[in-house]
Amino acid sequence: MDNPYVAALEVAHRQALHWVGSLDTRAVPPQATTAEIAEALGAELPEQPSPPEDVVTLLAEAGEQGLTAMPAGRFFGFVIGGTHPAAMAADWLVSAWDQNSALRDVTPAHTAVEDITATWLLDLLGLPPESAVGFVTGGTMANFTGLATGRDAVLRSVGWDVVQHGLAGGPRVRVLVGAERHDTVDLALRYLGLGAPEPVAVDDQGRLTPGALAAALETGGGAPTLVVLQAGNVHSGAFDPFEEAVDIAHRHGAWVHVDGAFGLWAAAAAARRHLMVGCESADSWATDAHKTLNVPYDSGLAIVRDPAALQASMGAEGAYLLRDATCQPLDKVPELSRRGRALPVWAVLRSLGRSGVADLVERLCDHASTFARELGRMPGVEVLNDVVFTQVCASFGSDERTQEVVQRLLADGTTWMTGSTWHGRRVLRISVSNWSTTEDDVARSLDAVRRVVADLERPARSHPR
């Protein structure tokens, strides 16, 4: 009997190579609508089975025109990386091996990789070597895991056992956040039953103000408190003043969590490491390896200084689970069933090495600086942020004109840059996150901006007042 996997995997391999081979030349936006893709796939569930290879062929051929070229070097729309080749190949193995990586002795191959990868990550990110690393689905769940551990810890510190008693009837947990935190922090707090946080004033780059944090903590009356800091503002790329803020928070007995979805990787590059000074003194950290490290999706990292606290919040028991007293992978994450998330992270770290990770971070930052410099030379364009990492925000004058530039860039198709609103102004936001972005990609994207601006000027010049 023929192996039923071979034909389907051969089709997937061929179609995947076709897709990645097209990224340099294809338009970045999708070329078909949802309705068109649905029609090509067929809306009715078939009555009879189909060969797996036929199903994969249909999916690839019908779906390709409805894909955004997010892995391309000219996609700057969101803070998402492309997948490094070593990580992509390792991720294929994760699916082929089909392991539930929850228990150490059941999947020793994954456990060994997870242990090694955790050690490398803590070293690269400059975090305490005794910390525990949980491999979760993404940045949102990384924040959830760190904040859940902090919630339980600060409640224990005032004599309330949330594991036994839940939140009802217990002390209210205060959560202080910078006014420009990412929305996923609020989302995680909602999941945790903590409600809306208390915003703390920030400066013009979105950095939390230590004096405002100190004043807010003074009014707490000793309530159990979480303080959330940020490594990488989603608009400016700015980093909170960790050294001062962590010290203030700890003097008031607060648990400090750092949302470093893309910015935590600044610690891996010598020229950016100063942005992270003091961050290592926090209690928990969250990042997403899919962003700056360019690992496939489903690659969040939840890091907690106190492994026992993490296990107390996330650990699961079951008579059928083959486990002992040793901390298990499942004790560090919210899920029990989970794929081998550590393998792609290990693969890209093993492929790049220490210097390669540093070069990757610096290259992304250099591209962002090039965007800011060249945009700033264009008439009528204002770069609104200090470019310290990978984010650039530019205004083209009025909000209406800026939005028109955004829309015309998308119609042009050469590049994808997202419109946003920052400090009450519409902006073109550029997020440089892809390992494959080249100087040529940056130049082509800048030419597209110049072309759009020139086209926008043409009607006004042809009808002088």
Side-chain angles (χ1 to χ4, degrees), residues 47 55 105 181 194 206 218 229 252 397 462:
E47 290 293 334
V55 174
D105 293 337
R181 77 280 182 187
L194 297 179
E218 290 291 345
L229 303 178
H252 287 82
S462 62

Side-chain angles (χ1 to χ4, degrees), residues 208-215 217-218 227 241-254 256:
L208 178 141
T209 305
L213 175 62
L217 287 165
E218 290 291 345
V227 170
F242 297 116
E243 197 164 28
E244 191 173 358
V246 173
D247 179 64
I248 291 169
H250 280 168
R251 280 193 275 113
H252 287 82
V256 180

